[in-house]
Amino acid sequence: MKKPIPSAMALAAALLIAAGARAGEAPATPEQRARALTDQLTSDEQFSLLRSYFPAFQKKLPPDAIIGAGYIPGVPRLGLPSLRETDAGMGVANLLNKRVDDVATSLPSALALAASWDLDLAYHGGAMIGAEARAKGFNVLLAGSVNLVRDPRNGRNFEYHGEDALLSGRMAGHAIRGVQSNQILSTVKHYVINDQETGRNVLSAKIGEAALRETDLLAFQLAIEIGKPAAVMCGYNRINGIYACEHDFLLNQVLKGDWGYPGWVQSDWGAVHSAAPAALAGLDHQSGYILDAKPYFGDPLKAAVAAGEVSPERIREMAYRIVRSMYATGLMDRPVPDAPQSIDYAAHAQVSEQAAAAGAVLLKNTGQLLPLAGKLKTIAVIGAHADIGVLSGGGSSQVRPVGGPALEIKPSGFASAFSRITYFPNAPLAALVKRMPGATIRYASGEDAAAAAELARTSDVAIVFAEQWTTEGEDVPNLALPGKQDELIRTVAAANPGTVVVLETGGPVLMPWLDQVGAVLAAWYPGAAGGDAIAAVLTGETDAAGRLPLTFPRGEDQLPRPVIPGLAEKTNAKGEVTYGLAAGLKEFEVDYDIEGADVGYRWFERTGKQPLFPFGYGLSYTSFGYQQLRTGGKDPLTLSFTVKNTGKRAGTDTPQVYMAVPGRDGKPISRLVGWGRVTLKPGESRQVSVKIDPRTVANFDTAARRWQLAPGSYQVVVGRHAGDRVLSAAMRLPKMSILP
Ligand code: GLC
């Protein structure tokens, strides 16, 4: 009989014994197990872990390679499985696989999730998409996007969690925790301040260390502490002139030094520019190496070792970090089967619908136009292909939806090279019909504004769906709704004052028609069950619970950079906004020192500008009161208050806590320090307790390399959004000096 091949478990046990762990003792740690295995790796086997193949473009790969974003061969003789990577943060995005039946469930955009302010939802959403990745044979999900929205025109804002480091870091951290609850690996990305798409491969982000620590880095630090991601993906851009993937200060000193990050640093696809400098600066792995000028972490790095530029110990440590993460996430003890597993898409769609409904933000609701009452007889539904589906964002995070796209349109401009305008087949029209059987609900495309207006005029209520497609690879040049949608909305509202606007956008948009309409609901890109989620909120099946995770400006002139840096040079002869993945574009600088740490709502407070809608804003179908703000208890960093549902129907509220903190210029500016999220019946009250993370109210002292919190009395407020003050109190805080 053939000698049975030892299972991964048997091999691991053998290695543990070899590593000195005795049977009956405490189980070996991931570090011990990884060291034991790494010590068995030959030099070539170590090197084989340091770069990934791009399976869609490299055919001669081992049989266990599947089409996806990356493939890293394993070491079967040691029970080390190959790593099979796929995008991304809203679902398994694998458009490179041309098999049209390779579908997945898309969560709503990360902005929508952030707008729910619900950390449990973030976890369950991550757990759902991680389960689909595992079922499809992937063991690495390139999720955990946590870049801050420093520019509301960034084409990838829909993949990010807003403008505030605390909200973004916590939401991304719990999403990563959810993904990895499937014993697969997640990333956190794109390290760091990769905050615009225009010229992302060549721009240099100019920003002081303290401001960076207090914002974009803090978001990563929180996400890493909460989610313990297996890998950090460094981004394309330069920071103060040095590429992110060869940035010794950010990789070795901050990430691995100050924060003690134990996982591996992998590049973004096409973000590596050297061998020895990158390896010595802290990069552990070259992703999709064929996109770079050279397979830097192959022969060039071997040559660097031979030349004594890079030590064999550094190579070994690079391999060790990857193996350690495979143990720490549980993958080694529960390998992902090669054969695809079944997926309960119906149950997963429920998770997506719940997240989308929780993230829809009611921005205006004059005369309680919403929720749509049962007595309505006729409803006009207009625009944005609401009769067939809902919009989604473009680029590497694009999911191929279950049931296939309802519609795919080739965009103009650079994005057409790798993106399609895609509608998911869950139509708001059908969802409304399902929920309002007694009403006559008719659709008009909106291409003929007069016809749409006539339909609106002869209806009790008109609902205009307005859309803004955004994508990885390019930014939007301004915040206006594209095409003639503003005019359409004005025309419809003139025909029927009971007009509701539903926004399906990648971020904030301008609303020149705001005074003419009765209600506005920001639904973002609402995901696989987006039509149902929107209808659930419009009909009051669920309360309007979303609160803005970013500021809606009144105009681009209110922004730190009224024009996107680099945009001008990137407009091609046809006037299309373009940008290049490859080098050859002129290098330029984005000056983030303009706002520094005062991102988003803090910028508006600092400059005294009034936004269209502030960070944290959102209406409910009921009302809430706040009372009994208490500070000064045993723990000086903890406060509490009570929320009461003072209305006539159940609802969900997200009271926010802000503290006025003097910045480096001495001027106190509000910072989000915590929030509660409560669902209450009419008349019901609940106490909310908030424990402040001192890093959110401290300033980073680069000389002392510490977070410094000055002792004294600080004003703390409880409000419905940034700038709002329902309750306020003094809070005495002690002097604190905190390690980075
Ligand atoms: C892309 C993205 C990154 C993605 C990777 C693999 O360019 O920047 O988010 O995970 O490449 O597709």
Side-chain angles (χ1 to χ4, degrees):
M1 186 179 81
K2 268 178 72 180
K3 194 163 171 287
I5 299 170
S7 73
M9 290 291 282
L11 270 170
L15 286 167
L16 290 183
I17 302 301
R22 293 281 166 265
E25 279 181 354
T29 65
E31 288 71 20
Q32 288 167 331
R33 298 174 73 183
R35 288 209 186 291
L37 191 144
T38 307
D39 288 346
Q40 313 292 315
L41 292 172
T42 66
S43 169
D44 278 351
E45 287 168 340
Q46 291 174 22
F47 268 97
S48 73
L49 297 179
L50 306 189
R51 60 195 172 117
S52 65
Y53 296 89
F54 210 162
F57 301 102
Q58 292 174 277
K59 297 300 173 212
K60 296 194 193 61
L61 293 177
D64 70 339
I66 55 178
I67 298 285
Y71 171 77
I72 305 162
V75 183
R77 71 181 184 84
L78 294 176
L80 192 71
S82 62
L83 289 179
R84 301 185 290 234
E85 302 175 304
T86 187
D87 283 304
M90 284 159 283
V92 175
N94 191 19
L95 295 183
L96 292 170
N97 179 359
K98 296 304 171 204
R99 275 190 30 232
V100 292
D101 61 346
D102 184 12
V103 297
T105 306
S106 177
L107 286 169
S109 66
L111 268 188
L113 203 61
S116 76
W117 296 59
D118 186 332
L119 301 175
D120 290 340
L121 265 183
Y123 174 85
H124 292 302
M128 183 270 280
I129 61 175
E132 292 201 359
R134 170 176 272 272
K136 290 169 173 285
F138 294 105
N139 49 25
V140 181
L141 189 57
L142 305 167
S145 294
V146 74
N147 296 90
L148 295 189
V149 175
R150 281 183 177 265
D151 194 315
R153 297 158 295 194
N154 178 357
R156 296 189 82 171
N157 283 337
F158 71 93
E159 295 184 57
Y160 302 150
H161 295 84
E163 65 192 29
D164 179 80
L166 182 67
L167 178 62
S168 298
R170 285 181 174 170
M171 292 303 290
H174 287 282
I176 291 164
R177 205 166 59 81
V179 169
Q180 296 191 157
S181 68
N182 294 283
Q183 289 78 49
I184 64 171
L185 287 69
S186 176
T187 51
V188 62
K189 67 186 186 179
H190 309 83
Y191 188 78
V192 68
I193 202 164
N194 177 183
D195 291 355
Q196 73 173 51
E197 286 299 286
T198 301
R200 70 179 182 181
N201 297 73
V202 295
L203 69 84
S204 177
K206 173 179 175 290
I207 186 162
E209 179 191 343
L212 187 59
R213 292 261 194 174
E214 294 167 14
T215 52
D216 295 72
L217 283 176
L218 181 57
F220 270 89
Q221 192 172 9
L222 293 168
I224 289 168
E225 288 170 359
I226 295 164
K228 297 180 175 32
V232 170
M233 185 191 297
C234 48
Y236 291 112
N237 56 295
R238 290 175 294 143
I239 300 96
N240 300 321
I242 301 169
Y243 274 110
C245 293
E246 51 190 48
H247 206 294
D248 175 71
F249 175 72
L250 290 173
L251 298 178
N252 281 335
Q253 297 184 43
V254 175
L255 178 65
K256 296 179 178 179
D258 292 345
W259 301 350
Y261 178 67
W264 49 303
V265 176
Q266 68 178 105
S267 72
D268 201 338
W269 271 243
V272 181
H273 304 272
S274 68
L280 293 173
L283 182 66
D284 299 307
H285 179 92
Q286 179 183 14
S287 304
Y289 74 84
I290 58 165
L291 286 183
D292 291 312
K294 289 181 188 169
Y296 291 107
F297 278 21
D299 289 345
L301 186 56
K302 286 180 182 171
V305 172
E309 290 170 43
V310 177
S311 68
E313 289 68 35
R314 172 61 186 136
I315 300 302
R316 186 188 166 288
E317 193 231 354
M318 293 159 79
Y320 160 77
R321 282 177 173 269
I322 296 169
V323 175
R324 188 218 65 92
S325 284
M326 294 169 76
Y327 278 111
T329 51
L331 176 65
M332 292 297 284
D333 299 321
R334 189 183 166 221
V336 170
D338 290 347
Q341 313 293 304
S342 67
I343 293 174
D344 184 345
Y345 286 117
H348 289 181
Q350 289 298 320
V351 174
S352 182
E353 180 180 339
Q354 188 190 356
V361 183
L362 185 58
L363 296 173
K364 181 177 181 182
N365 191 20
T366 307
Q368 302 304 311
L369 180 59
L370 293 177
L372 301 175
K375 60 179 183 301
L376 288 176
K377 289 286 169 264
T378 52
I379 297 175
V381 170
I382 298 164
H385 299 288
D387 60 330
I388 57 167
V390 288
L391 188 58
S392 61
S396 59
S397 68
Q398 173 77 64
V399 172
R400 179 184 289 115
V402 175
L407 178 63
E408 267 187 338
I409 301 169
K410 184 174 180 183
S412 62
F414 183 84
S416 62
F418 61 95
S419 225
R420 290 293 174 271
I421 301 171
T422 302
Y423 293 80
F424 291 155
N426 185 275
L429 178 63
L432 284 168
V433 168
K434 188 166 57 176
R435 288 167 174 79
M436 303 184 79
T440 301
I441 305 179
R442 297 167 294 174
Y443 176 75
S445 70
E447 279 154 35
D448 176 342
E454 183 52 23
L455 182 67
R457 196 180 60 75
T458 57
S459 301
D460 294 330
V461 166
I463 307 171
V464 183
F465 285 78
E467 60 187 343
Q468 172 212 45
W469 185 68
T470 63
T471 179
E472 174 181 352
E474 65 186 32
D475 302 316
V476 287
N478 56 54
L479 295 172
L481 283 171
K484 297 188 177 137
Q485 298 181 94
D486 287 336
E487 183 188 329
L488 170 64
I489 294 166
R490 277 199 199 91
T491 307
V492 168
N496 186 330
T499 291
V500 177
V501 176
V502 177
L503 299 171
E504 294 179 18
T505 65
V509 291
L510 304 182
M511 304 180 204
W513 32 261
L514 184 60
D515 294 342
Q516 282 84 49
V517 303
V520 179
L521 181 72
W524 320 103
Y525 297 145
D532 279 310
I534 290 170
V537 177
L538 290 177
T539 59
E541 185 181 290
T542 178
D543 186 22
R547 302 290 183 270
L548 291 180
L550 39 58
T551 304
F552 273 48
R554 286 182 185 282
E556 294 86 357
D557 59 332
Q558 293 189 319
L559 301 175
R561 288 162 295 280
V563 176
I564 297 177
L567 185 67
E569 292 84 56
K570 305 297 169 300
T571 304
N572 66 17
K574 286 189 276 179
E576 292 164 338
V577 171
T578 64
Y579 110 106
L581 266 175
L585 289 165
K586 236 179 20 250
E587 294 188 352
F588 62 95
E589 189 175 74
V590 183
D591 184 358
Y592 288 117
D593 278 330
I594 294 170
E595 73 275 27
D598 293 329
V599 182
Y601 62 91
R602 291 171 52 173
W603 167 257
F604 280 81
E605 182 175 332
R606 181 170 112 189
T607 56
K609 298 176 193 290
Q610 283 308 311
L612 187 61
F613 292 104
F615 173 83
Y617 185 85
L619 302 175
S620 161
Y621 289 141
T622 182
S623 56
F624 296 93
Y626 307 151
Q627 54 211 7
Q628 295 156 354
L629 171 56
R630 291 201 176 84
T631 63
K634 263 200 322 298
D635 176 355
L637 289 168
T638 297
L639 59 87
S640 67
F641 58 94
T642 303
V643 186
K644 179 175 183 178
N645 182 341
T646 54
K648 297 187 175 53
R649 58 156 285 160
T652 299
D653 192 29
T654 301
Q656 300 136 44
V657 184
Y658 295 88
M659 185 176 282
V661 181
R664 266 170 294 285
D665 61 3
K667 181 184 174 193
I669 300 278
S670 306
R671 300 181 190 183
L672 178 74
V673 295
W675 66 90
R677 188 173 193 277
V678 290
T679 298
L680 301 172
K681 299 187 189 70
E684 186 183 6
S685 292
R686 180 96 41 84
Q687 187 181 64
V688 172
S689 176
V690 168
K691 164 93 174 173
I692 294 173
D693 181 322
R695 294 169 296 185
T696 59
V697 293
N699 290 325
F700 194 83
D701 179 338
T702 52
R705 206 166 181 140
R706 290 274 190 289
W707 295 92
Q708 306 287 25
L709 177 61
S713 174
Y714 291 78
Q715 189 201 51
V716 65
V717 302
V718 178
R720 293 179 171 76
H721 54 75
D724 185 44
R725 177 185 313 188
V726 178
L727 303 175
S728 68
M731 194 166 186
R732 289 207 65 77
L733 296 179
K735 176 177 172 50
M736 295 182 83
S737 182
I738 302 159
L739 287 169

